[in-house]
């Protein structure tokens, strides 16, 4: 028999379905697509820009870096053009450094340079970027836990370039003297890196390779603390190779300038245990971690020693070789991700007067 659908039953069924959807299904769908989305917005944007910033500052004071990062990211997300946007990014860089997220630090310093190319705080971004790069690859062992001269040097070169850009464009910056001091330390450690290889070759009686690495340090890092030992290795290696005249020339240099490298019988003292006889003036291992950004118009950095002008001028005279190390080296050079070049309209020196400053520990 053919089924007949009564109009009243169809109408009642429709009402029942609509009612059920309204009380159950639609409520669930509303919770899934409407209320949840609304609650997410409330959870992340329920505060004003000022309140988020105050929350971040309280967290930073207590070293609650993850809490600070969350609040600062909320400012950047919901108030990207607000009054606190630029300062929030500076504080975020610091908090990420303190939490050990070095990859995000360099990402955000590059972002700061891109977003605020005329900022009076651009020198700070360069400084933090350099300090972070001094530590090496973002996910590798950090500077303060390793022997600097025996690890990959690609990031040290990036740091040197960061500091060089800073002192070239902002010589009156409160960070300039600190940056200059770090440049000198990097320069010395890169030269020491060559001596580490040279000592390794001497210990294995590979005198040609040892002489090549020592000559590299002597030629391309002439203002470094590695020069005395480089001359000693050159004298020693040439003597072992039977190149007496050349060896004697280097011995004469040692006798005049660095007699501690000569024994009483005129032979050359060479160490193979990675201990130099010449005290290093500066090494990157002597630097502590980055300090917090603070409002302090009188801050001039933590540099102590020579006058600011002298140390900045000394660093400004340094340069790194553009070519790679000698081919006898067995080291591999990691190539880090390069950041955009600073071909920007940099602020004038006068713009550096009112910095937000940090105090390296």
């Amino acid at each position: 028999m053919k089924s007949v659908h009564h109009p009243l039953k169809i109408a009642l069924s429709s009402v029942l379905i609509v009612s059920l959807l309204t009380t159950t299904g639609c409520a669930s769908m509303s919770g899934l697509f409407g209320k949840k989305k609304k609650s997410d917005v409330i959870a992340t944007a329920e505060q004003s820009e000022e309140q988020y910033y105050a929350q971040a500052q309280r967290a930073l004071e207590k070293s609650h870096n993850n809490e600070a990062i969350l609040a600062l990211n909320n400012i950047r997300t919901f108030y990207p053009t607000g009054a606190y946007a630029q300062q929030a990014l500076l504080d975020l860089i610091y908090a990420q450094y303190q939490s050990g997220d070095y990859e995000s630090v360099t990402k955000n310093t590059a972002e700061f340079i891109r977003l605020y190319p005329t900022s009076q705080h651009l020198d700070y971004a360069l400084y933090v970027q350099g300090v972070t790069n001094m530590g090496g690859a973002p996910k590798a062992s950090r500077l303060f836990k390793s022997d600097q001269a025996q690890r990959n040097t690609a990031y040290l070169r990036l740091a040197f370039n960061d500091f060089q850009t800073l002192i070239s464009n902002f010589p009156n910056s409160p960070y300039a003297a600190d940056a200059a001091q770090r440049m000198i330390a990097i320069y010395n450690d890169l030269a020491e890196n060559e001596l580490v290889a040279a000592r390794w070759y001497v210990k294995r009686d590979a005198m040609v390779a040892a002489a090549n690495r020592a000559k590299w340090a002597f030629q391309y890092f002439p203002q470094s603390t590695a020069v005395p030992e480089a001359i000693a290795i050159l004298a020693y290696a040439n003597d072992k190779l039977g190149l007496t005249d050349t060896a004697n020339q280097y011995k004469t240099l040692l006798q005049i300038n660095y007699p501690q490298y000569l024994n009483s019988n005129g032979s050359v003292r060479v160490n193979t245990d990675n201990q130099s006889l010449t005290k290093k003036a500066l090494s990157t291992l002597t630097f502590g971690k980055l300090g917090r950004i603070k409002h302090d118009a009188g801050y001039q950095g933590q540099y102590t020693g020579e006058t600011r002008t002298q140390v900045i001028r000394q660093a400004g005279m340094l340069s790194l070789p553009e070519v790679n190390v000698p081919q006898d080296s067995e080291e591999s050079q990691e190539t880090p991700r390069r950041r955009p070049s600073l071909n920007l309209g940099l602020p004038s020196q006068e713009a550096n007067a009112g910095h937000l400053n940090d105090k390296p520990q």
Side-chain angles (χ1 to χ4, degrees):
M1 178 184 293
K2 187 175 181 180
S3 177
V4 178
H5 299 283
H6 195 283
L8 180 58
K9 289 184 178 180
I10 294 175
L12 290 173
S13 298
S14 300
V15 171
L16 179 61
I17 292 172
V18 171
S19 176
L20 288 172
L21 287 174
T22 301
T23 58
T24 58
C26 285
S28 299
M29 293 174 67
S30 175
L32 181 63
F33 298 108
K35 291 183 180 179
K36 188 173 187 299
K37 183 177 180 181
K38 183 177 180 181
S39 64
D40 284 347
V41 173
I42 293 173
T44 56
E46 60 185 355
Q47 299 187 68
S48 68
E49 183 182 15
E50 292 80 4
Q51 288 173 323
Y52 277 130
Y53 188 73
Q55 177 186 346
Q57 296 308 299
R58 289 192 298 270
L60 287 173
E61 290 290 347
K62 297 177 182 178
S63 297
H64 296 168
N65 296 306
N66 290 336
E67 180 184 345
I69 289 170
L70 178 61
L72 294 166
N73 273 325
N74 283 336
I75 293 175
R76 299 196 65 218
T77 299
F78 294 98
Y79 306 97
T81 60
Y84 290 89
Q86 183 177 156
Q87 181 58 39
L89 184 50
L90 290 173
D91 287 344
L92 179 62
I93 288 167
Y94 166 77
Q96 288 170 333
Y97 187 99
Q98 290 299 94
S99 66
D101 189 359
Y102 306 112
E103 191 169 17
S104 292
V105 172
T106 53
K107 176 183 177 182
N108 281 324
T109 51
E111 180 76 354
F112 186 90
I113 292 167
R114 183 184 68 82
L115 291 175
Y116 309 107
T118 59
S119 170
Q120 64 177 352
H121 309 305
L122 193 61
D123 59 336
Y124 175 78
L126 286 167
Y127 181 68
V128 178
Q129 191 163 265
V131 170
T132 304
N133 279 325
M134 280 180 72
K139 296 182 180 179
S141 297
R142 300 300 293 170
L143 164 66
F144 312 101
K145 299 180 181 178
S146 63
D147 185 341
Q148 181 60 32
Q150 299 186 55
R151 70 176 181 84
N152 186 283
T153 61
Y155 281 86
L156 279 183
R157 290 174 176 270
L158 284 182
F160 186 93
N161 291 336
D162 292 329
F163 296 135
Q164 190 173 54
T165 301
L166 193 162
I167 68 169
S168 296
N169 291 281
F170 307 99
N172 295 329
S173 165
Y175 312 107
D178 290 340
Q181 191 181 32
R182 289 172 183 271
M183 283 179 66
I184 295 168
I186 290 171
Y187 184 83
N188 285 333
D189 275 353
L190 289 175
E192 176 67 16
N193 184 264
E194 302 303 316
L195 293 187
V196 168
R199 295 183 197 114
W200 189 89
Y201 286 121
V202 168
K203 191 173 185 178
R204 287 154 182 77
D205 202 30
M207 295 303 165
V208 173
N212 282 341
R213 296 307 289 264
K215 186 175 181 181
W216 184 271
F218 179 63
Q219 181 176 353
Y220 289 103
F221 299 92
Q223 300 177 64
S224 73
T225 54
V227 167
E229 188 176 355
I231 296 173
I233 293 175
L234 283 166
Y236 182 85
N238 278 282
D239 203 12
K240 291 293 184 180
L241 291 169
L243 303 174
T244 306
D245 291 342
T246 302
N248 286 337
Q249 290 176 2
Y250 287 119
K251 287 180 182 180
T252 300
L253 287 176
L254 292 175
Q255 183 63 52
I256 296 172
N257 300 289
Y258 314 107
Q260 70 269 30
Y261 282 92
L262 291 174
N263 295 314
S264 57
N265 62 359
S267 62
V268 180
R269 296 177 60 190
V270 174
N271 292 328
T272 57
D273 58 357
N274 285 328
Q275 296 297 321
S276 174
L277 298 179
T278 302
K279 182 180 179 181
K280 293 182 182 180
L282 290 170
S283 168
T284 50
L285 283 172
T286 65
F287 291 101
K289 292 187 177 181
L290 188 72
R292 185 182 171 193
I293 305 167
K294 292 183 181 294
H295 292 270
D296 184 0
Y299 174 65
Q300 290 297 312
Q302 262 198 343
Y303 170 74
T304 58
E306 300 174 271
T307 66
R308 282 175 52 84
T309 303
Q310 287 175 332
V311 74
I312 293 171
R313 183 184 297 117
Q314 180 184 357
M317 296 172 62
L318 302 178
S319 62
L320 302 182
E322 296 182 0
V323 290
N324 292 324
V325 296
Q327 292 301 311
D328 56 71
S329 171
E330 296 182 1
E331 300 170 4
S332 62
Q333 292 293 324
E334 173 189 358
T335 303
R337 176 170 52 87
R338 305 293 294 188
R339 293 178 298 278
S341 110
L342 287 175
N343 185 17
L344 305 167
L346 297 176
S348 63
Q349 296 177 13
E350 290 76 15
N352 289 297
H355 287 357
L356 298 174
N357 305 297
D358 73 320
K359 297 182 179 179
Q361 302 299 317

